């Protein structure tokens, strides 16, 4: 039975992915920082009789990463790592405290790197294994009002692409999965889930970012959709680096390369809502 490690499993994508991989024959170690949140996953596992073990794993703690992976590999080598743990935030750069910016990178980027470094030597030696980075479509589209979050996901996108090149010769597969708006609680994990200030000079950008999420929530991807994509990315015979998930993610993924960088930046001009919304529809097939 192949072993899969999934991080950030208390809710959402990690929760769904742990169950989905187990239903398809994997022995899953479901890592989460706070085991007080483990009961819903444990209940789901018991109800289906699945091979999922919930473990404490704080990806921002070197001690936790080292001890957790030592415990996991006592039972056999890791075949699949799903880097899903993440925190979000939605504020303009000027209003984002440096410590919040660093926390996002500690979890979204450095936490993933720590887990990769824990499993990669074994995968390289065995010439087998898959690393899945759950990034975000914001890791491919520089997203205003989410700059810190977007930058951390860009960093992980870059790492995944470069790593895929580095380990190709060793038979190790690396893929990046880019969800759009998904029905999860990721932004509840941010110190500034909503810093919407009506008096702020950034209010139009903040409001429009909110409208983008509202449009996504009108027809969102579900955590199960991402879980199914992750399994497909792991098992498909034809390799693909990037896997966008959700109507909005696909719209951005297809539309952004068709416009210039200057066209994208020009969206930040003082446009009327009608003109801004029309450009979004024309460029990305997204109705705000």
């Amino acid at each position: 039975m192949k072993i899969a490690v999934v991080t950030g499993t208390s809710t959402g994508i990690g929760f769904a992915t742990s169950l989905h991989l187990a239903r398809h024959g994997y022995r899953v170690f479901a890592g989460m920082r706070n085991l007080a949140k483990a009961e819903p996953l444990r209940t789901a596992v018991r109800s289906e009789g699945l091979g999922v073990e919930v473990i404490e794993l704080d990806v921002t703690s070197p001690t936790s990463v080292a001890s957790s992976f030592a415990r996991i590999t006592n039972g056999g080598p890791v075949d699949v790592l799903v880097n899903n743990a993440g925190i979000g935030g939605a504020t303009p750069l000027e209003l984002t405290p440096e410590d919040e910016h660093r926390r996002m990178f500690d979890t979204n980027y450095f936490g993933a790197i720590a887990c990769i470094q824990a499993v990669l030597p074994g995968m390289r030696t065995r010439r087998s294994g898959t690393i899945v980075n759950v990034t975000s479509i914001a890791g491919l589209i520089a997203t205003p009002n989410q700059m810190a979050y977007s930058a951390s996901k860009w960093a992980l996108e870059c790492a995944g692409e470069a790593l895929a090149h580095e380990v190709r010769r060793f038979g190790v597969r690396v893929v990046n999965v880019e969800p759009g708006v998904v029905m999860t609680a990721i932004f509840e994990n941010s110190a500034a889930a909503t810093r919407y200030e009506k008096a702020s000079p950034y209010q139009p950008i903040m409001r429009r970012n909110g409208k983008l999420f509202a449009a996504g929530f009108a027809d969102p991807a579900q955590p199960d959709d991402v879980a199914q994509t992750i399994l497909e990315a792991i098992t498909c015979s034809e390799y693909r680096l990037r896997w966008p998930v959700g109507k909005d993610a696909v719209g951005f993924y297809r539309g952004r390369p068709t416009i210039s960088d200057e066209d994208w930046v020009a969206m930040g001009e003082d446009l009327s809502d009608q003109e801004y919304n029309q450009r979004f529809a024309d460029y990305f097939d997204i109705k705000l």
Side-chain angles (χ1 to χ4, degrees):
M1 184 178 289
K2 290 186 175 182
I3 291 177
V5 179
V6 185
T7 68
T9 61
S10 60
T11 60
I13 293 170
F15 184 105
T17 300
S18 297
L19 298 177
H20 192 64
L21 292 181
R23 291 175 187 132
H24 286 80
Y26 287 86
R27 179 186 178 193
V28 177
F29 288 87
M32 62 181 69
R33 182 177 54 183
N34 183 1
L35 289 181
K37 298 180 178 181
E39 192 52 35
L41 179 55
R42 286 173 171 156
T43 299
V45 168
R46 285 194 298 267
S47 70
E48 297 188 45
L50 297 174
V52 178
E53 181 177 346
V54 180
I55 63 168
E56 185 175 5
L57 173 56
D58 179 355
V59 300
T60 67
S61 164
T63 301
S64 178
V65 170
S67 62
S68 295
F69 279 95
R71 173 184 170 187
I72 292 165
T73 54
N74 278 339
V78 175
D79 298 286
V80 174
L81 168 66
V82 180
N83 281 316
N84 172 70
I87 57 175
T91 52
L93 176 62
E94 187 177 338
L95 303 181
T96 306
E98 182 179 338
D99 63 343
E100 185 178 327
H101 202 141
R102 290 182 181 277
R103 280 198 301 275
M104 266 186 263
F105 267 81
D106 282 345
T107 300
N108 299 353
Y109 177 74
F110 288 110
I113 296 300
C115 293
I116 290 170
Q117 290 181 325
V119 303
L120 188 54
M123 290 184 175
R124 175 181 50 76
T125 300
R126 299 192 318 276
R127 303 186 69 84
S128 175
T130 300
I131 295 167
V132 180
N133 298 312
V134 180
T135 64
S136 168
I137 197 61
L140 296 175
I141 308 293
T143 308
N145 197 54
Q146 291 181 262
M147 201 281 282
Y149 174 75
S150 187
S152 71
K153 293 298 189 178
W154 272 58
L156 187 55
E157 277 284 334
C158 173
E161 182 173 346
L163 181 64
H165 187 129
E166 289 181 354
V167 301
R168 177 81 170 191
R169 69 186 61 199
F170 303 124
V172 178
R173 173 178 291 200
V174 182
V175 297
N176 293 337
V177 175
E178 298 94 0
V181 175
V182 180
M183 294 297 285
T184 73
I186 182 172
F187 286 99
E188 294 177 8
N189 296 327
S190 169
T194 54
R195 193 173 288 134
Y196 186 96
E197 300 179 15
K198 292 185 178 181
S200 170
Y202 295 102
Q203 187 269 343
I205 293 172
M206 299 165 82
R207 179 173 58 83
R208 283 171 174 165
N209 186 236
K211 288 181 67 178
L212 176 60
F213 273 88
F217 281 128
D219 187 17
Q222 298 295 327
D224 284 342
D225 298 326
V226 184
Q228 290 165 15
T229 299
I230 288 171
L231 181 61
E232 183 181 359
I234 294 167
T235 59
C236 72
S237 59
E238 187 172 340
Y239 173 74
R240 211 171 87 203
L241 173 64
R242 292 193 168 90
W243 296 78
V245 186
K247 183 178 179 180
D248 56 334
V250 172
F252 272 124
Y253 185 74
R254 292 176 177 171
R256 180 60 181 86
T258 69
I259 66 172
S260 69
D261 295 338
E262 290 72 26
D263 286 336
W264 173 244
V265 172
M267 295 282 287
E269 294 175 357
D270 189 15
L271 306 174
S272 69
D273 281 351
Q274 182 178 0
E275 186 174 1
Y276 183 87
N277 294 349
Q278 187 60 54
R279 291 191 190 185
F280 238 92
D282 292 343
Y283 293 161
F284 311 118
D285 194 26
I286 297 173
K287 294 181 179 180
L288 301 181

